[in-house]
Every structure is written in C-alpha cells, then in structure tokens.
Amino acid sequence: MKIKHLIFSIVLFLSWQFGASQELKLTYDKAAANWNEALPLGNGRIGAMVYGGVDKEEIQLNEETIWAGGPGNNVPKGKYDDIVKIRQLLVEGKNKEAQDLSNLAFPRAAPEGLDYGMPYQTFGSLLLGFPAHHSPVHYQRELNLNKAIATVSYNVDGVNYRREMFTSLVDSVLLIRITADKEKSISMDLNWKSPHQDARIGQKNGALFLRGKGGQVDAKEGQVAFYGFVYPQVKGGQINHLDRQIIIKDADEVILYVSIGTNFKNYHDLSIDPEQKAARVFEQAKRISYAKAVENHVRKYQKYFNRVKLDLGNNAQAKKTTDVRIREFATNFDPQLVALYFQFGRYLLISSSQPGGQPANLQGIWNAKLSPPWDSKYTININTEMNYWPAEVGNLSEMHEPLFSMLKDLSITGQESAREMYRARGWNAHHNTDLWRITGVVDGGFYGMWPMGGAWLSQHIWQHYLYHGDKQFLRDYYDVLKGAALFYLDVLTKDPSGKWLVVSPSISPENSYEPGSVGVSAGTTMDNQLLFDVFNNFIHASTFLEDDAVLRDSVRRCLKQLPPMQIGQHGQLQEWLKDLDRTNDHHRHISHLYGLFPSGQISPFRNPDLAQAAKNSLIYRGDKSTGWSMGWKVNWWARLLDGNRSYKLIKDQLSPAPEEQQGQNGGTYPNLLDAHPPFQIDGNFGCTSGIAEMLLQSYDGSIFLLPAWPDELSSGEVKGLAARGGFIIDMSWKEGKLTALKVLSTLGGNCRIRVSHNTQLSWQGKPLQKANGENTNAFFAVDEIKKPLIKTKKGMLEIPRTVLYDISTSKGGAYEFAVQ
C-alpha cells in the first residue's frame, strides 16, 4: 500500500481552519434573570458567570482553589474491627444488621473531630453600574465558542455600547473592555460583593480589592486566604476612588483587569502570598496591549477547540436565541443545536480544566454559593469520571492532566485510609474527595461505604495511555495503578457462597436492594467489573514496563477468582451477586452497566447475551432521570448500537430544566448548562461523550465508524475525533451512509476499521484488506471476560451486519480512502 505522508501539524492546522468556519454561539435578546441564565467564562483557574445586565451588570467569580477548610484527611480511627464485623454479618446473610452497623460506624452526619469533605466556594461578584442606561434597544448577549469571548451590546439614547469579556488562557486574568461609538459616553461605577462574612473591600494602588478566606466547616477552620482586585484602565474621562467603590465619568473606553490570587500551593501547603500572586499576574498582563491579549488568548484557546469540527447541517432554528431553541427542540428539528451542545461541552472542559490546575469539580469552576449542592466536591462514584469522558475522544487530552495530578495526590493520601480502615497496602478512596484529597467515608454508612473511588479514577490513566502510547507517561503514573491493585489484593475476601473473591463490605453506588434501607453488600457487579479493569490494567502496564513480575502473577491469580457477570430472573444484568433486581427500580445510578460503558467488557459482537441483559436493565430503569444519568444513558444506548434511542435521550436532556432546584427531573438551563437539578456539569460532559460514541467507538478491537447514528441526523461530517492507538478520524456521511474517510496515524501500527456491511473502502482504486483474527495493534487488545451465568434470557439483541478492514499505517501518515 502506498502511503501518503503529511506533516502532522499541517494536517491539524487544516482541521483547525475548517472548524473555525462554524458559527458556534449562544445568543440571547435579554439579560440573564438568574444564575442559570448567565454565561460561563473560564481559564481553568478563574471562572466567571456573566449576567449581561444593562444598568447593573453582575459578573460572579470563582477561583479554583477557594474551598472551605484546610489541609488534612478525614480517615476515621478504629474502624477496622467494624468493617470486619460488617463483612461477617454479610457472610451470615444478616444484611440488615450489616447495614445498621455500617450506619452506626459511619453516621450520616460527620462525627465530632471529623469531616465529610469541604465545599467549593465563590469568590464574590464584580458589579458594574451604568446609572444612565435605561430603556435599551437592539440588546444582544452572546458567548462565542469559537473564541471563548462573551459580549453584551445595546443602544441607549442613540449610543451603541459594547462589553467584551474573556478569561485569558495566557495572562490568567479576566479582561473586560467597554466601548461606545460616541466619545465621553461611558460613565459607570465598580463595586464588589461577597457572601463571605469576613470579606473586606478597599482601595490600593488604583485598584478596588476584595480580601477574605474560605469558610469553616465541621472540624476544619477556613485556611484558604484569597485576594482579588479590579483595576480600571481608562481612556479619557475621570476616575474617582472612594473607600469601597470606583466611579468613572465621561470616558471613551474602559478596560478592566480582574486578578485573583490565593495562598494555595498544593493540598498540604498554603504558603503563597495571595496579594503578591494577584499583583504579579496583573503586572505581567498589563504590559500587553488589549488587542494583543485577545489575540494571544484566542490563539491558545483555538489550539485546543478547533481540533474537532462537527457539522450536522443548519436550518432556520439556528437563527433563534438559544433559550428559545432549547424550548422548541423537542418539536422543531434543529440539528445545529446538537453540534452546538457537543462543542459547548468541549468548551466547558477547556475552560474548567487546564494543565497545572485543579480538575473540574461537580460544577466545573462555576459556583455562586458558600454551601453549594453536594458541596460541589469531586463525587467519584460517577460524576468526576464523567467530566473527563470527552477528554480523549474529543481531542482534548491536555485537559485530562489535572485529573492525573489529583490521582497522584490521592495515591498518597489514600494510603492512610487503606492502612487505617482496611489494614491493606496500596491506596484507596471512597465516593468523595475535595481540594484536600480526602479518602475516608463521606455521607455515612449507606452512601459512603464504597471503597472503589480510586479503582474507577485509575482507569483514566490507562485510557489515556491507550490513546497516546506514551510510555514515559505510563512510567510516571505506574505507581498509581500498582497501588490500586495492591489494595484490592489485600482486601479481597471469599463471597458468602465461598466461590469467588469479592470486595466486602461495599455498595452498588447509592442504590439499595431492599428499597430505601439496605445497600451494603458483598461482590456487587460494578465492583467486580472495576476489579477486572484494575487488575488487567496493572498486568498490561507492568508487562509493558517490564516491572513487578512476581506481583503480576499474584494479580493474575486473583483475577481468575473474580465472579462472572450474571443474567438474572428478569433477563437483566444483575446488579448484585444475588438476583435482587426489581423491574420497578428507576434509580438514577445504573452502576452495574459500567462494564458496557465507560469500560468495554460488554460488547454486542462478542457478548450479545450480556449486551441484551444490559439493554433490559436500561429499559427497566427508564429514560427520564437526573441530567447526568441521562447523559450516561446516551453513551449506553450508543454502545448498544441504538442511535435512535441515544438521540431520544439527547432530546430528553435538551428539554428545559424544571424551575424547582431539587429532584431527579433533569434537563438543560437556558445557558445550556445541565440540570440534576440543580446545576451539575457532568451531564454536559456525559452528553458530549455520548454524541462522540454515536459517531465513533474505539474499543472491542477496532474503530467503529457511525456505530449508532440516528436516522433524523442523516447527513453530516466530523473532523478530528480521536481514537485509541493515536488515530485521528475525519469522515462525512449522507443518508446515514459513510461517504468520505481520512485517517491520521500519530503512532503507526495496524488500524482496524469497522463499518456497515454495505460500505466498501478502497485506496487508489484497490479494495482494502478485510481483517482476519485479532487486531495486532496492542492498543486494541481485548481482555477476555468470564462466561456469564445465565438464569433467564429475555430478548435477542439486533446486531448490525458490519465488515472489518485492516490498514497498515506509519507514524505521521495520513490516509484518505474512497468510499462506496
């Protein structure tokens, strides 16, 4: 096969330019009435929510390290004996007694001297007053996803006013430029407000500052000191500095610099001077002209964002404001809104998770409260993991780095919980963590007795390696994978039947098998699936790095003793070791389908019985749920190759969020943010991942193109999606059929493509070689699962006819195929 070589950077450049041509904007014809209508800006460190008010503008601000409390873990002492007793009660079949002891040992409210994690907290709000701006006309508010810039424009008394705002990815400040098309027309005032009780506002060096510290919660006193200020650079006009306010009169142009610093250095060191940090960042930013600052910011942002383009077509709906489009999506065909929502998820990930910073939490970096829902912590029994599902396939692998960094921290702090609570080697974490990298039980014995958070998080390290093949990366994070495997080697115990090795006690996250009362159990299906991946990941990593051969053999022996998956009395994939599922259980968590997605243990092609059982479980649970749950379901139905059902879930997700701020009736707010309700960002990321899974799946030994694309979105094109093995995919389709395909190979090796049986691929007039046997590319190796135990079969999964092609590629090679 003749190989067409193109320089990688040139290929990406062409892809970026193609993506930049799309009109990707959130638009509105009125100011935000509340936080759920404000528009998010972020540079990983600073988050801003822009309301767009005319006479009163509020820009609510966050800094990623402003959390309550201070350093320290939350591992309780003297609980090992309780865990042993709970385990024994489960062996004896005394499940209710086991649950009662778990609740007693780990009460719902944090005991004195202990905490259940700290909340992420707001910095405060910058208030811009324009007292003379009444009765505006031609109002427009927008967020430009192509540039990561928000604008507000309107006309008052014949003068056109414009505000342009962005959180610079280069200069680490919020910049606001206010202009008018008539000289001496800008008169305004600047103020701060903050819910922090000890916040202080004052003047220094021409700037208005806000100083304070994070709050005290449970046994932890607030220790995060923060200092931020706004500095006006004014052309023309006058500035009057008052004690708690800045007043500007008759200016031609105003540029505002907002800089924030905290004393946070890392999870156990608060030694930085926050005022000096804020000043240092500002002084560097002020040296650059505004025009150059915009140019630098957009260039760096587009380096990431423009890697992927998705075009699903356009119609008149795209000309309407975004809030109207959301309201009408269920009844008006709007393909561009699907593409916009997909790219909005990628925008949010770039904006909330930058290398060198903190991972995106439950609300990304956007939170207006001191006590947000669920503390806006890292909930690691689904939500944090979901935040990063789009990172690799969405060609944003650099945004994954903050999560890897947190994993290194947890592999240190988690040694305490492993040792103290379980007398085990290695490390573990339960279902929550925070800025301080806590690893103990959170929220009591019903929700918190789940020692698998580290097991799930560690999958991200291995997945990143499968996409990039970077052995140095694998070496750097090998101890994280090894420590997770060590922990489970030490805690595994015989299940009550004596047949298998299981984790006990544990739960299937947040669900119960006796409604509302008993969830503590041994050997839940999700735990077994997670262990399968933890052990296999370690075996592969240690083999590649030629390390720990003896330990590898021990892990292999334990792996062989894990329980198989089971199909129960209702034809469902069992959630627990015993057949306890209920067909009327509509719980938001369907954790036992982890093996379907994000893991790849259940394949319609290799394991159709298990795939059908997973489908039955999904049908029993129903579609409508919390926002994040519906986002996960988009991915599951895509893995089941049902694009129409996935698209139905997207429609459910893109329905207006309910007004009430609690419950489990998800949807989307006018600013496109996801509703649990209230706001949780994971639903955005989950749905973005789901759309990618509908377009491309790279697991199960191949790259499957258009595996689950819906009938309604019959034509389109996508460029820049990433697949395992370092492959970048560009493709287009018409009437549901692939029409063009380009593959860039960044690592070389065999590229196995799966397409519909009626699709023929050829290279320079010669048909491609059909695949035979297992894929020789190690990044596509499939770990064989045990044969499931089947009680009842119900239904037969419809599996599409497909064909597999093998393409031998060279590193840096670009391949364009003829499609028939």
Side-chain angles (χ1 to χ4, degrees):
M1 180 184 295
K2 185 178 178 182
I3 300 174
K4 176 183 176 184
H5 288 283
L6 290 177
I7 298 174
F8 182 38
S9 60
I10 295 177
V11 174
L12 282 184
F13 175 78
L14 293 175
S15 178
W16 295 345
Q17 298 308 303
F18 197 76
S21 65
Q22 278 192 297
E23 184 79 352
L24 294 170
K25 294 181 180 179
L26 281 65
T27 62
Y28 306 85
D29 58 9
K30 56 184 177 296
N34 55 59
W35 195 91
N36 292 318
E37 297 181 6
L39 294 175
L41 293 170
N43 60 10
R45 193 173 73 85
I46 295 176
M49 292 293 283
V50 180
Y51 282 67
V54 176
D55 59 331
K56 295 178 181 178
E57 167 69 286
E58 177 174 358
I59 302 172
Q60 185 266 316
L61 292 162
N62 290 93
E63 202 278 349
E64 64 175 352
T65 61
I66 299 177
W67 291 64
N73 209 336
N74 71 331
V75 176
K77 304 296 182 182
K79 298 299 179 181
Y80 175 73
D81 289 343
D82 289 319
I83 289 173
V84 171
K85 289 175 185 177
I86 296 168
R87 187 178 296 155
Q88 182 58 36
L89 288 169
L90 291 170
V91 169
E92 295 169 2
K94 299 177 180 178
N95 295 5
K96 180 64 165 62
E97 291 89 336
Q99 181 70 74
D100 291 343
L101 180 54
S102 184
N103 288 332
L104 183 65
F106 307 102
R108 186 70 173 88
E112 185 177 353
L114 200 66
D115 70 86
Y116 281 171
M118 295 295 108
Y120 176 58
Q121 298 188 316
T122 183
F123 170 79
S125 291
L126 176 64
L127 305 178
L128 313 181
F130 301 89
H133 289 195
H134 301 294
S135 304
V137 294
H138 308 307
Y139 179 93
Q140 186 171 9
R141 177 170 60 105
E142 72 174 36
L143 174 61
N144 186 326
L145 300 186
N146 285 323
K147 296 182 177 180
I149 294 175
T151 56
V152 177
S153 60
Y154 53 87
N155 182 288
V156 171
D157 297 331
V159 180
N160 292 310
Y161 294 91
R162 178 180 172 87
R163 300 176 212 146
E164 183 176 80
M165 294 156 271
F166 64 96
T167 44
S168 175
L169 284 168
V170 176
D171 299 315
S172 200
V173 294
L174 167 66
L175 278 164
I176 306 167
R177 182 174 181 246
I178 302 158
T179 57
D181 65 358
K182 181 180 178 182
E183 293 182 348
K184 301 185 181 301
S185 295
I186 302 173
S187 294
M188 60 181 295
D189 54 70
L190 305 175
N191 297 273
W192 286 113
K193 74 171 183 178
S194 176
H196 290 276
Q197 289 187 350
D198 61 348
R200 180 188 162 206
I201 299 171
Q203 295 275 349
K204 188 172 183 179
N205 299 328
L208 187 68
F209 70 79
L210 173 66
R211 181 200 303 272
K213 69 175 183 177
Q216 177 178 343
V217 175
D218 294 330
K220 280 188 176 179
E221 184 178 341
Q223 296 179 48
V224 177
F226 57 81
Y227 184 96
F229 62 84
V230 56
Y231 178 90
Q233 190 178 83
V234 178
K235 183 185 293 183
Q238 300 175 340
I239 303 179
N240 187 13
H241 294 86
L242 306 180
D243 287 344
R244 297 171 58 89
Q245 185 183 53
I246 293 177
I247 298 175
I248 300 168
K249 289 188 177 182
D250 303 329
D252 302 330
E253 176 190 80
V254 176
I255 297 174
L256 303 176
Y257 293 82
V258 179
S259 184
I260 304 173
T262 77
N263 62 346
F264 182 89
K265 186 174 183 180
N266 57 50
Y267 72 94
H268 55 80
D269 187 344
L270 302 177
S271 61
I272 292 176
D273 185 310
E275 183 175 346
Q276 288 183 8
K277 179 176 180 178
R280 184 171 62 251
V281 169
F282 164 67
E283 290 298 333
Q284 186 170 341
K286 194 174 66 167
R287 297 190 190 106
I288 303 168
S289 70
Y290 180 82
K292 188 66 175 176
V294 173
E295 179 185 339
N296 291 344
H297 164 72
V298 171
R299 182 187 299 112
K300 183 170 183 181
Y301 170 74
Q302 290 184 346
K303 169 187 172 184
Y304 305 125
F305 184 77
N306 286 354
R307 290 174 182 168
V308 176
K309 182 241 181 195
L310 177 61
D311 187 350
L312 301 177
N314 221 329
N315 63 11
Q317 285 297 110
K319 296 181 180 179
K320 298 180 180 180
T321 57
T322 305
D323 52 332
V324 172
R325 296 173 71 184
I326 295 169
R327 287 201 304 270
E328 296 180 353
F329 186 69
T331 55
N332 291 266
F333 183 56
D334 190 353
Q336 201 270 344
L337 185 60
V338 179
L340 181 71
Y341 191 62
F342 171 81
Q343 294 288 27
F344 183 61
R346 294 181 68 248
Y347 164 83
L348 291 174
L349 188 56
I350 297 168
S351 302
S352 62
S353 184
Q354 281 289 306
Q358 300 299 313
N361 63 47
L362 200 59
Q363 294 179 281
I365 50 172
W366 299 281
N367 161 48
K369 303 177 185 295
L370 297 184
S371 297
W374 306 282
D375 291 339
S376 196
K377 295 196 297 286
Y378 300 103
T379 303
I380 55 177
N381 66 8
I382 173 59
N383 312 95
T384 302
E385 291 87 353
M386 183 179 280
N387 285 1
Y388 287 90
W389 289 349
E392 301 299 337
V393 66
N395 216 332
L396 296 173
S397 62
E398 296 93 335
M399 277 66 266
H400 225 155
E401 290 180 21
L403 187 70
F404 303 147
S405 179
M406 182 171 80
L407 266 162
K408 272 196 173 179
D409 295 342
L410 289 171
S411 71
I412 297 171
T413 60
Q415 293 175 29
E416 183 182 359
S417 52
R419 182 180 62 252
E420 293 289 337
M421 295 178 65
Y422 300 93
R423 295 186 184 172
R425 295 170 295 170
W427 69 278
N428 91 304
H430 291 79
H431 96 291
N432 253 255
T433 190
D434 61 11
L435 184 71
W436 313 113
R437 308 311 192 230
I438 62 168
T439 60
V441 166
V442 171
D443 295 333
F446 180 85
Y447 293 102
M449 181 36 70
W450 188 69
M452 308 299 294
W456 195 346
L457 284 175
S458 69
Q459 306 306 319
H460 288 255
I461 292 172
W462 184 247
Q463 288 298 316
H464 179 80
Y465 175 71
L466 292 179
Y467 275 81
H468 297 278
D470 184 347
K471 275 199 173 182
Q472 186 56 53
F473 167 84
L474 189 60
R475 199 175 303 279
D476 290 344
Y477 288 92
Y478 174 70
D479 285 345
V480 178
L481 299 179
K482 177 181 175 180
L486 277 172
F487 172 75
Y488 295 108
L489 275 184
D490 287 357
V491 301
L492 283 175
T493 185
K494 287 288 186 180
D495 80 291
S497 74
K499 296 179 184 177
W500 301 301
L501 290 178
V502 297
V503 175
S504 176
S506 186
I507 61 170
S508 189
E510 303 185 26
N511 202 3
S512 60
Y513 46 89
E514 294 182 16
S517 59
V518 180
V520 169
S521 54
T524 68
T525 297
M526 186 195 204
D527 287 4
N528 303 330
Q529 293 168 342
L530 282 168
L531 287 175
F532 179 87
D533 282 347
V534 167
F535 286 165
N536 276 302
N537 294 350
F538 170 74
I539 290 168
H540 294 315
S542 65
T543 302
F544 291 164
L545 299 177
E546 299 179 346
D547 203 352
D548 289 313
V550 175
L551 179 60
R552 192 188 316 145
D553 289 340
S554 298
V555 171
R556 279 200 181 102
R557 285 193 295 272
C558 279
L559 179 60
K560 291 178 181 178
Q561 299 179 71
L562 297 181
M565 284 181 267
Q566 302 180 76
I567 299 174
Q569 60 185 320
H570 309 297
Q572 88 287 5
L573 184 66
Q574 281 186 206
E575 186 165 1
W576 291 276
L577 206 55
K578 291 185 177 180
D579 193 356
L580 303 170
D581 300 73
R582 309 181 306 277
T583 58
N584 63 349
D585 180 4
H586 302 301
H587 199 272
R588 60 196 176 276
H589 284 262
I590 320 179
S591 303
H592 55 302
L593 300 195
Y594 162 87
L596 178 64
F597 183 91
S599 185
Q601 297 168 36
I602 301 173
S603 156
F605 295 99
R606 295 176 189 264
N607 326 107
D609 288 342
L610 282 173
Q612 177 63 46
K615 179 179 179 178
N616 293 337
S617 291
L618 270 175
I619 292 170
Y620 293 141
R621 289 293 172 92
D623 288 345
K624 194 69 174 174
S625 186
T626 60
W628 65 262
S629 181
M630 291 192 291
W632 200 351
K633 289 170 184 174
V634 175
N635 292 269
W636 279 323
W637 283 109
R639 283 285 174 94
L640 292 170
L641 310 180
D642 191 338
N644 291 327
R645 191 64 173 260
S646 286
Y647 189 52
K648 190 264 183 187
L649 264 299
I650 292 173
K651 286 184 175 180
D652 290 344
Q653 182 88 318
L654 276 171
S655 60
E659 302 231 346
E660 38 304 347
Q661 290 295 291
Q662 59 185 358
Q664 298 188 28
N665 187 22
T668 296
Y669 292 113
N671 57 9
L672 273 186
L673 291 177
D674 164 69
H676 180 287
F679 163 54
Q680 285 186 190
I681 203 168
D682 42 22
N684 288 97
F685 293 134
C687 204
T688 295
S689 165
I691 293 168
E693 284 291 316
M694 294 160 69
L695 288 163
L696 178 152
Q697 295 175 17
S698 64
Y699 84 110
D700 198 32
S702 67
I703 302 171
F704 194 172
L705 305 180
L706 299 177
W709 200 244
D711 296 334
E712 284 190 55
L713 302 175
S714 60
S715 300
E717 62 182 336
V718 65
K719 293 197 171 190
L721 286 182
R724 282 188 187 184
F727 297 107
I728 308 297
I729 307 297
D730 297 354
M731 62 180 172
S732 58
W733 61 96
K734 190 173 183 179
E735 296 179 357
K737 187 177 185 299
L738 189 71
T739 56
L741 174 63
K742 296 179 182 179
V743 177
L744 175 67
S745 176
T746 66
L747 299 176
N750 188 57
C751 179
R752 177 166 290 185
I753 299 289
R754 185 188 290 272
V755 291
S756 174
H757 75 284
N758 59 5
T759 300
Q760 296 180 354
L761 301 180
S762 60
W763 172 263
Q764 294 185 340
K766 296 181 180 180
L768 289 182
Q769 176 184 350
K770 288 189 178 181
N772 185 32
E774 291 296 325
N775 194 339
T776 57
N777 190 324
F779 298 114
F780 288 86
V782 177
D783 296 318
E784 186 177 351
I785 66 169
K786 286 185 175 181
K787 187 177 180 179
L789 301 180
I790 301 175
K791 181 177 290 185
T792 304
K793 286 188 180 183
K794 182 177 180 182
M796 182 176 295
L797 193 70
E798 185 176 341
I799 301 172
R801 292 172 59 198
T802 61
V803 61
L804 293 165
Y805 293 107
D806 276 346
I807 308 117
S808 178
T809 73
S810 297
K811 184 176 181 178
Y815 306 83
E816 184 171 356
F817 304 99
V819 183
Q820 293 181 324

